[in-house]
Amino acid sequence: QVQVAESGGGLVQAGESLRLSCTASGLTFEDYAMGWFRQAPGKRREGVSCIVRSGYYADSVKGRFTISRDNAKNTLYLQMNSLKPEDTAMYYCAAARACCGHNACPTDSNYWGQGTQVTVSS
């Protein structure tokens, strides 16, 4: 059974940093593209970043966020620096077969975590 779980969210002030983690089990982690998404209240879910070997980023986070992965630990990371109030959202990770730019390609076979909340106060 595949399980995906995010952690590391929290409440920070604008300009501060957070590092999100996502662990996946029950799959061959290195065979999957891994992506981060976020959804703010009342807004559609949006792709933030995706990685196979190198990372791709949405324009809104480019230069501030860094995606990385440790295949030996089955873990995905998102280092978020210079956080802004508009980064406030529930952050989800997804295991997918490929990246479509900065999005994990949407398919019915993607695996999703339950999310971790990031709140940035001004």
Side-chain angles (χ1 to χ4, degrees):
Q1 182 180 358
V2 176
Q3 292 186 322
V4 178
E6 304 91 340
S7 62
L11 171 63
V12 296
Q13 293 188 334
E16 295 185 339
S17 299
L18 277 176
R19 188 175 81 155
L20 305 184
S21 299
C22 169
T23 57
S25 60
L27 51 74
T28 304
F29 185 78
E30 63 186 8
D31 289 346
Y32 283 79
M34 297 298 297
W36 287 101
F37 292 80
R38 66 186 181 187
Q39 188 167 19
K43 295 188 177 181
R44 295 179 63 180
R45 186 177 64 195
E46 63 174 353
V48 174
S49 183
C50 190
I51 185 170
V52 178
R53 293 182 181 82
S54 57
Y56 304 90
Y57 301 91
D59 287 343
S60 59
V61 306
K62 202 171 293 183
R64 299 188 298 122
F65 290 10
T66 302
I67 192 171
S68 62
R69 63 190 297 164
D70 186 336
N71 289 339
K73 295 182 178 180
N74 282 19
T75 301
L76 173 74
Y77 302 100
L78 186 68
Q79 178 66 43
M80 305 187 295
N81 298 331
S82 302
L83 282 161
K84 304 176 180 180
E86 51 264 44
D87 294 319
T88 295
M90 186 71 78
Y91 283 70
Y92 301 90
C93 76
R97 285 301 184 180
C99 292
C100 292
H102 62 268
N103 290 286
C105 295
T107 71
D108 291 340
S109 61
N110 287 1
Y111 299 104
W112 292 87
Q114 294 300 304
T116 186
Q117 177 68 37
V118 172
T119 303
V120 184
S121 63
S122 58

